[in-house]
Amino acid sequence: MKVKRDQITGIILALAGVGIIFMTGRLKAEMSFSYPGAKFLPLFSAAGMILCGIGIVIESMVSKKQEQKFMDLDGVKRAVSAFVVLAAYIFLMNYLGFCITTPFMLFAFCTLFAGQQKLTVRSRIIYSVLCTMVVYIVYSKFFGVHLPQITF
């Protein structure tokens, strides 16, 4: 029996859910029926990941569809470029803060994944700045989350 790519994806998803359950078990937060606490959402999400992973594996085993080509050389280049952009974003955010690094990261992702669409530089800049502003306002003002600031 040949293992399909969907089966591997389902197994990885289910194992990630098991890993999250293991890591959540190490949290020192109390859970009760009246207040589920900090453990509830990760446990709920992990259970969903496990169920979806099992579902993907079963569906892939039952399905008779042929697998299509996964990614060509151009797709591999874009995936590697996206990984490099994301790694640089994470590294630079510690020094330049959220408000400076995020528009550049969004601009790079818009450029990478535009595909055949011809997006103007102006529209990518506007989108990047507006998204950064919306995320900053929602997280810092409404949720009270402190986003990284410039540190030198």
Side-chain angles (χ1 to χ4, degrees), residues 16 18-27:
V18 170
I20 290 171
I21 288 174
F22 174 74
M23 289 187 295
T24 303
R26 298 174 62 192
L27 289 175

Short mmCIF file of all heavy atoms in Angstrom, two decimals, residues 16 18-27:
data_model
loop_
_atom_site.label_atom_id
_atom_site.label_comp_id
_atom_site.label_asym_id
_atom_site.label_seq_id
_atom_site.Cartn_x
_atom_site.Cartn_y
_atom_site.Cartn_z
N ALA A 16 0.75 16.46 16.19
CA ALA A 16 0.88 17.83 16.72
C ALA A 16 -0.16 18.06 17.82
O ALA A 16 0.14 18.68 18.85
CB ALA A 16 0.72 18.86 15.60
N VAL A 18 -1.42 15.75 19.77
CA VAL A 18 -0.95 15.00 20.95
C VAL A 18 0.15 15.78 21.66
O VAL A 18 0.18 15.87 22.89
CB VAL A 18 -0.47 13.59 20.54
CG1 VAL A 18 0.24 12.90 21.69
CG2 VAL A 18 -1.64 12.75 20.05
N GLY A 19 1.06 16.38 20.88
CA GLY A 19 2.12 17.19 21.48
C GLY A 19 1.58 18.39 22.24
O GLY A 19 2.06 18.73 23.32
N ILE A 20 0.55 19.03 21.70
CA ILE A 20 -0.06 20.17 22.38
C ILE A 20 -0.71 19.72 23.67
O ILE A 20 -0.62 20.40 24.70
CB ILE A 20 -1.06 20.88 21.45
CG1 ILE A 20 -0.30 21.58 20.32
CG2 ILE A 20 -1.91 21.88 22.21
CD1 ILE A 20 -1.18 22.13 19.22
N ILE A 21 -1.38 18.57 23.66
CA ILE A 21 -1.98 18.06 24.89
C ILE A 21 -0.90 17.79 25.93
O ILE A 21 -1.06 18.13 27.11
CB ILE A 21 -2.81 16.78 24.60
CG1 ILE A 21 -4.09 17.16 23.87
CG2 ILE A 21 -3.13 16.03 25.89
CD1 ILE A 21 -4.92 15.98 23.40
N PHE A 22 0.21 17.22 25.51
CA PHE A 22 1.32 16.95 26.43
C PHE A 22 1.86 18.26 27.03
O PHE A 22 2.06 18.36 28.24
CB PHE A 22 2.43 16.19 25.72
CG PHE A 22 3.66 15.99 26.55
CD1 PHE A 22 3.68 15.08 27.59
CD2 PHE A 22 4.80 16.74 26.31
CE1 PHE A 22 4.80 14.91 28.37
CE2 PHE A 22 5.93 16.58 27.08
CZ PHE A 22 5.94 15.66 28.12
N MET A 23 2.09 19.26 26.17
CA MET A 23 2.63 20.53 26.66
C MET A 23 1.62 21.27 27.54
O MET A 23 2.00 21.91 28.51
CB MET A 23 3.06 21.40 25.50
CG MET A 23 4.30 20.88 24.79
SD MET A 23 4.97 21.98 23.53
CE MET A 23 3.67 22.02 22.34
N THR A 24 0.35 21.18 27.20
CA THR A 24 -0.68 21.84 28.00
C THR A 24 -0.79 21.20 29.38
O THR A 24 -1.05 21.88 30.38
CB THR A 24 -2.05 21.76 27.29
OG1 THR A 24 -1.91 22.37 26.00
CG2 THR A 24 -3.12 22.49 28.06
N GLY A 25 -0.55 19.90 29.45
CA GLY A 25 -0.57 19.20 30.74
C GLY A 25 0.49 19.70 31.70
O GLY A 25 0.37 19.54 32.92
N ARG A 26 1.51 20.32 31.16
CA ARG A 26 2.59 20.85 32.01
C ARG A 26 2.28 22.23 32.56
O ARG A 26 3.01 22.73 33.41
CB ARG A 26 3.88 20.88 31.20
CG ARG A 26 4.29 19.45 30.77
CD ARG A 26 5.47 19.44 29.85
NE ARG A 26 6.62 20.00 30.51
CZ ARG A 26 7.74 20.31 29.88
NH1 ARG A 26 7.84 20.14 28.59
NH2 ARG A 26 8.77 20.82 30.55
N LEU A 27 1.20 22.87 32.08
CA LEU A 27 0.81 24.18 32.61
C LEU A 27 0.32 24.04 34.05
O LEU A 27 -0.36 23.08 34.39
CB LEU A 27 -0.31 24.80 31.77
CG LEU A 27 0.05 25.30 30.38
CD1 LEU A 27 -1.21 25.76 29.66
CD2 LEU A 27 1.04 26.43 30.45
#
